Amino acid sequence: MQKHIDILIKGSVNNRGYVLLAMKEADKLFINGFAAYTDDNNLFIEAEGYEPQLEKLIEWCKQERFGAEIKEVIVNIGEMQYYRTFEMGVSVLEIRS
């Protein structure tokens, strides 16, 4: 059974290519959803997939890359949205409107 999780990566991740990297990792893990920066320059990810793949994505989110500084990774279980792909947005507000 598939699950939906929301991931908030807090820290210095904006302008480090994290949206593209998250998209690539999600694609590799067969995860659908989206990734976008929040107004306060953190990265927000909605991800849907099977639990083992979601756990791998969570672990990936905790790793610092390209000079980024990860302060905190917050994960919450959410309601399935039945995404068909993994997309990226300029901001969370863009995705939700």
Side-chain angles (χ1 to χ4, degrees), residues 31-97:
I31 290 173
N32 295 329
F34 76 87
Y37 291 111
T38 63
D39 289 340
D40 52 357
N41 297 320
N42 295 312
L43 184 62
F44 179 75
I45 299 172
E46 282 196 19
E48 295 181 343
Y50 293 101
E51 193 165 347
Q53 285 77 17
L54 293 173
E55 291 296 330
K56 288 179 183 178
L57 182 64
I58 292 167
E59 288 307 310
W60 178 90
C61 290
K62 294 177 181 178
Q63 298 173 14
E64 295 181 347
R65 294 169 175 77
F66 303 112
E69 182 181 317
I70 307 296
K71 293 181 181 174
E72 185 178 14
V73 176
I74 301 169
V75 180
N76 292 303
I77 296 173
E79 187 175 324
M80 285 292 292
Q81 302 297 312
Y82 302 98
Y83 293 111
R84 294 184 179 186
T85 62
F86 196 92
E87 299 178 8
M88 66 178 200
V90 175
S91 73
V92 174
L93 295 175
E94 173 189 299
I95 296 290
R96 299 215 182 249
S97 55

Side-chain angles (χ1 to χ4, degrees), residues 16-30:
R16 305 269 194 251
Y18 260 68
V19 168
L20 292 173
L21 291 172
M23 191 172 171
K24 183 177 178 180
E25 188 66 17
D27 188 51
K28 184 173 98 176
L29 295 170
F30 302 101

